[in-house]
Structures are given as C-alpha cells and as structure tokens.
Amino acid sequence: MKKISIAIDGPAAAGKSTIAKLVARNLNYTYIDTGAMYRCVAYCALKNHVNFDDETGVSALLKNIDIRMLPDGTIHLNQEDVTSLIRENEVSMGASLVSKYQAVREFLVDKQREMAQGGGVILDGRDIGTVVLKDAELKIYQIASIECRAMRRHKENMERGIASDLEAIKAEIALRDEQDMTREISPLKKADDAIEIDTSGMTLDEVVAHVMNLVAQRV
C-alpha cells in the first residue's frame, strides 16, 4: 500500500499529537513530534539561562542542540531524557516565543523535512501543511474550544503529577493562540487544501476513525 505524508496543524492543546500518535501506530507510520522540537529549544534556553526574548542568545544555542526521537516515544536533548520536562507550562510558553525566530524555524524545518523524506510519516504542529510539507497528501487542521483544550491540558498535567491551575491554563492557551496566529514568520493558519476537524465534542476513537477514513481515501 502506498505510504503518504500526513500534516496535522492546529492551535495549542487541540489534541494533535495524541491523534497523530494513534494514527501513526495504526498505520505503522513514523510520528514526528515537531512541537516537541520547539519545546526542546525553549527548554535549552531555560537551562542555559537565556531569556526567551533574546533572539541572538536563543539562536546561538542551536549549534549545540541535538534532538533525538526514539522508537519508545522518549525525546532526548543532548543525551538527556526531556520527555516530561518539556511539557512544563513555562516551556510551552517559551516554545511559542522561540518559534518566532527565523534561525530557529530554519534549523528545525530542515530537520523535519529530512525526517519526512520517503513518506509514511505524520507530522503535527503549527505550519506543517503551510510551510514544512506543502505537498503532503493529507492535510488536517484540528481545532477545539479553549475550554475543551484547557481541560485536556489540566487533566494531562494532573496525571503527570504537575501542579495545574485550570483558569491559568485557559489564559495561557488564549495567549498562545494570539502569539501563534499573529507572529510574522509562519503564523498558524489553515492550509487552503486542509480538512478542518473540530474535536470539541468528539471522543479520541471518533477522531482517529475519521482520520483513518481520510487516509483510506488518499491511498
């Protein structure tokens, strides 16, 4: 069966990575967590005491950044397992800020395109269908209400033992949306040929089934 490239874009906490991982497992595709790559840059800035607003300082870190996504789902940054560390709220906000920088985007987009060569991949993020994989055979724009997204992130934090404030998360998500949609470089937007899916009232199984049906139509 032909293997295609799948791009899933959408705002923060819309469940993109969860759906992408499940669909990738069903199809035996490789899942490339592009958001985690930006989180790694933000985490590296935090660890090295570089302010997120310091574009020159953040860009200078790139030459010493090695990101590896292992088959077991763990994410390693310079040999350190950062899988849980990069999910902290401070890192989430930092990822949105550092993703505005040209050097950071070029560095990571090159890596993402390299990983996606040959098809059989699913990438999710903010600009996969519009910038990273413009020729992806299937593009999805996944959305959900702020309330729904905040509750998902809150539940996720609680399950991981991370201190969590639902109202604070709502405010952070709203701010993240504004930052992502208004940044000058590769803003979050729906690709002209993307299929929009609002997951607010859908179960995980329903979303996965819908995406699997869309894949079947392409292959």
Side-chain angles (χ1 to χ4, degrees), residues 56-216:
T56 301
V58 171
S59 299
L61 295 171
L62 300 175
K63 62 181 180 293
N64 296 315
I65 285 181
D66 177 48
I67 301 169
R68 298 187 184 277
M69 297 185 178
L70 305 186
D72 63 1
T74 59
I75 299 163
H76 287 231
L77 172 64
N78 300 337
Q79 286 75 57
E80 177 188 5
D81 184 346
V82 296
T83 311
S84 296
L85 296 171
I86 61 173
R87 298 297 167 184
E88 297 280 354
N89 288 339
E90 189 176 9
V91 177
S92 296
M93 295 305 296
S96 181
L97 292 169
V98 303
S99 68
K100 297 185 296 185
Y101 303 143
Q102 186 76 34
V104 173
R105 298 204 73 81
E106 289 179 353
F107 174 76
L108 293 181
V109 167
D110 283 347
K111 286 191 173 297
Q112 291 157 15
R113 286 175 175 158
E114 185 180 314
M115 293 176 179
Q117 287 181 352
V121 294
I122 298 180
L123 284 75
D124 74 286
R126 305 291 187 278
D127 62 350
I128 309 305
T130 55
V131 176
V132 181
L133 296 181
K134 291 183 178 179
D135 297 325
E137 288 91 342
L138 175 59
K139 297 179 185 179
I140 292 167
Y141 191 71
Q142 187 170 317
I143 63 172
S145 68
I146 287 180
E147 291 73 17
C148 180
R149 288 185 279 149
M151 183 57 72
R152 288 172 181 168
R153 178 61 55 82
H154 178 63
K155 183 180 177 184
E156 184 179 274
N157 286 345
M158 296 295 284
E159 289 173 349
R160 289 178 169 156
I162 299 172
S164 191
D165 181 314
L166 182 58
E167 292 306 314
I169 293 173
K170 285 183 184 179
E172 287 168 2
I173 286 177
L175 177 60
R176 182 83 189 265
D177 286 351
E178 183 180 1
Q179 289 175 344
D180 289 344
M181 292 176 178
T182 60
R183 68 188 181 208
E184 290 184 24
I185 303 168
S186 300
L188 167 65
K189 62 180 181 180
K190 178 183 173 183
D192 292 338
D193 52 347
I195 297 169
E196 184 173 303
I197 302 176
D198 186 340
T199 67
S200 299
M202 299 174 72
T203 65
L204 271 180
D205 288 345
E206 288 171 341
V207 180
V208 170
H210 187 32
V211 174
M212 291 295 293
N213 184 51
L214 293 173
V215 172

Side-chain angles (χ1 to χ4, degrees), residues 18-38:
T18 301
I19 297 304
K21 288 174 188 174
L22 292 170
V23 172
R25 190 182 306 154
N26 287 350
L27 295 170
N28 196 26
Y29 276 24
T30 299
Y31 166 61
I32 301 172
D33 187 347
T34 63
M37 297 171 79
Y38 287 98

